[in-house]
Amino acid sequence: MTPFLECGPLNARTGEGRVLFENVSVSLSESECVCLDGPSGSGKSTLLRLLTALAWSPDVSRQLDGRTYRGAELPAWRANVSLIAQDAPMIRGSVLDNLSFPFLQRAGDDRQFAEMDAKRLLEKVGLGEVPFDRDVLRLSGGERHRLALVRSLLWDPPVLVADEVLSGLDPDAAEACLDLLVDFSRKQGRLLICVLHDPALCSAADRCLHLRDGHLEEN
């Protein structure tokens, strides 16, 4: 089967010069939920940032659904291989500002923000009572994590990369969010790569990749 996503080789060192990993390549199929795990400090978040081209590594080949992305095409790659970061960054403004923000960027092409879909997803993650005009500064950390997840699902990229997005959520909220992520991964032309803070949650994944001693292995 032809891989849906291919990216590599990826290399990373710490600021002190310690090698995190070398010559790591990722090759994954569509309609998969893939869990990435590894010891603390092994470079999981760094690997995800390299994979999404938010960090730099030389001579990386990037292919998605048969298309190769080079140089000036990296913004399009980032729009199609999208990261939900651990800290759930928000722009200043309202809930609506944050949900609609990606659709206002050049990389958004002809994608349109769908208010009804936003309300449906907010309801599913327990934010149905939060008004669109609420300032995000008034949201708790867990609420911002769930809002970031909804924003990414609305954007609906071919590849969604989630870095411990369930961390800090209560069990019911974490389960609801995980269900949405897994549902996303099952769609044709979609792929989910996630780091989960609770190893038990990895049981929902189709494949588990382990970053260990500078190498990426499949468990």
Side-chain angles (χ1 to χ4, degrees):
M1 180 182 294
T2 303
F4 182 61
L5 170 76
E6 291 186 288
C7 186
L10 303 172
N11 302 280
R13 295 175 179 265
T14 66
E16 295 75 32
R18 178 175 66 87
V19 173
L20 286 173
F21 47 81
E22 287 185 315
N23 297 320
V24 165
S25 292
V26 177
S27 180
L28 300 170
S29 302
E30 68 175 312
S31 303
E32 277 195 320
C33 175
V34 180
C35 182
L36 171 66
D37 69 9
S40 178
S42 60
K44 298 185 295 296
S45 293
T46 300
L47 179 60
L48 296 186
R49 289 184 59 81
L50 288 169
L51 184 62
T52 53
L54 294 174
W56 183 82
S57 185
D59 304 319
V60 177
S61 173
R62 296 179 173 87
Q63 293 184 321
L64 176 63
D65 199 16
R67 175 184 171 186
T68 299
Y69 291 75
R70 299 183 177 88
E73 296 176 300
L74 287 185
W77 174 269
R78 296 184 190 107
N80 288 324
V81 183
S82 181
L83 176 70
I84 316 177
Q86 272 181 298
D87 55 354
M90 298 280 123
I91 64 168
R92 295 184 66 176
S94 67
V95 167
L96 179 59
D97 292 333
N98 277 272
L99 291 175
S100 60
F101 172 74
F103 300 89
L104 304 177
Q105 309 308 303
R106 288 183 61 188
D109 300 324
D110 59 351
R111 303 187 210 193
Q112 300 292 319
F113 173 70
E115 183 173 321
M116 292 305 298
D117 288 342
K119 290 180 177 179
R120 174 180 56 83
L121 288 170
L122 289 170
E123 187 72 35
K124 284 182 177 292
V125 300
L127 297 178
E129 301 302 316
V130 177
F132 274 169
D133 62 356
R134 179 167 295 175
D135 193 310
V136 292
L137 294 178
R138 295 177 56 197
L139 300 180
S140 69
E143 287 172 331
R144 288 195 296 272
H145 274 81
R146 285 177 280 165
L147 183 62
L149 172 61
V150 168
R151 179 173 58 193
S152 293
L153 291 172
L154 285 171
W155 180 244
D156 193 28
V159 183
L160 192 54
V161 181
D163 190 2
E164 294 200 41
V165 297
L166 308 183
S167 178
L169 299 182
D170 64 65
D172 288 342
E175 183 178 359
C177 291
L178 181 61
D179 287 345
L180 287 174
L181 287 169
V182 172
D183 287 346
F184 168 89
S185 73
R186 299 291 182 246
K187 296 193 294 185
Q188 185 176 2
R190 297 295 181 266
L191 167 65
L192 172 68
I193 306 166
C194 55
V195 174
L196 300 173
H197 69 288
D198 183 349
L201 297 176
C202 286
S203 61
D206 301 302
R207 298 171 63 184
C208 190
L209 304 179
H210 194 84
L211 189 60
R212 182 195 346 249
D213 299 327
H215 301 284
L216 191 64
E217 306 166 345
E218 184 163 359
N219 288 358

